[in-house]
Amino acid sequence: SLNDVFSEEELYDWERRTKKLLSQNSKVDYFCEIKFDGLAVSLIYKKGKFIRGATRGDGFTGEDITQNLRTIKSIPLFLSGKDIDIPDYIEIRGEAVMSKKTLLKLNLRNEKEGKQVFANTRNATAGSLRQLDPKLSAERELDFFAYDIADLVFGLPSGSPTISEPKTHSEKHVYLQKLGFQVNKNEALCKNLKEILVFIKKFEKIRPNFPY
């Protein structure tokens, strides 16, 4: 489950609870990445072509926002498949986001025109992707960062060699980049909690000037 921790002590408590669920000799690595505060979306590709995009909704049913997602330049309409085989079907999870700079411009313009002023980039992103006119969504200059693969299917004929699928979360990030997706570079594969804390402190230094 997604548990928030707010101190080093809570982080070590979390690890102790987690290791109780594993066998005694289990080797544990950690993958660190930053969490964007935007709108979580799922993208469906069939034979490398983007066919549908939806919000997360209640976890089972979301809103179809395909046409608006097509206006985001960092969402490929066709998968590139650099040095890998293109799957017959893949569902990609990621975050649609608006930069702080874009929000400032949008709010200044909306204020002059007597329109809605957004409280934060998350609300602005959600509002942009729920526009009925895709042209209005395109004007919002949204971005997209992929972070997970929910489903992956290769339609191989019988007897074909097995295609190596990503097994760990870090391998998924590498795979997503090869498919042509933007993945945030602030990530790290860590062997222990000390390395995780180094990652956290490193990001804390750049966070004030981070564009999102």
Side-chain angles (χ1 to χ4, degrees), residues 68 71-73 128 133-142:
N68 290 346
T71 68
I72 300 178
K73 294 178 181 178
S128 299
D133 185 355
K135 290 180 180 178
L136 294 175
S137 292
E139 291 175 0
R140 301 290 174 85
E141 301 174 19
L142 298 180

Side-chain angles (χ1 to χ4, degrees), residues 48-196:
K49 183 180 179 181
F50 177 48
I51 62 163
R52 187 175 301 113
T55 64
R56 183 172 55 191
D58 61 5
F60 295 95
T61 305
E63 293 178 63
D64 188 330
I65 52 171
T66 306
Q67 296 309 314
N68 290 346
L69 289 170
R70 287 179 182 275
T71 68
I72 300 178
K73 294 178 181 178
S74 47
I75 293 181
L77 300 181
F78 296 91
L79 302 180
S80 62
K82 184 180 179 183
D83 303 324
I84 57 171
D85 293 294
I86 298 294
D88 274 22
Y89 177 95
I90 188 168
E91 179 183 347
I92 302 218
R93 298 275 172 86
E95 199 88 358
V97 292
M98 176 182 287
S99 72
K100 292 183 283 189
K101 184 178 178 180
T102 299
L103 176 66
L104 183 61
K105 288 194 300 183
L106 175 63
N107 276 345
L108 285 173
R109 188 177 68 199
N110 283 4
E111 194 171 15
K112 287 180 181 178
E113 297 174 358
K115 296 179 181 178
Q116 177 186 6
V117 174
F118 293 99
N120 51 56
T121 54
R122 173 196 271 181
N123 292 356
T125 301
S128 299
L129 286 174
R130 291 186 171 104
Q131 295 284 336
L132 296 177
D133 185 355
K135 290 180 180 178
L136 294 175
S137 292
E139 291 175 0
R140 301 290 174 85
E141 301 174 19
L142 298 180
D143 212 343
F144 177 81
F145 289 92
Y147 57 68
D148 201 7
I149 298 170
D151 199 6
L152 179 62
V153 177
F154 288 99
L156 296 174
S158 178
S160 297
T162 303
I163 292 176
S164 179
E165 298 181 15
K167 295 179 176 61
T168 64
H169 197 60
S170 58
E171 287 177 3
K172 286 182 179 181
H173 274 226
V174 173
Y175 188 76
L176 286 165
Q177 289 180 76
K178 288 183 176 181
L179 287 175
F181 287 94
Q182 176 176 241
V183 174
N184 189 262
K185 302 300 182 184
N186 293 285
E187 58 180 42
L189 188 60
C190 299
K191 296 177 182 177
N192 51 54
L193 293 195
K194 287 183 179 179
E195 292 185 4
I196 290 176

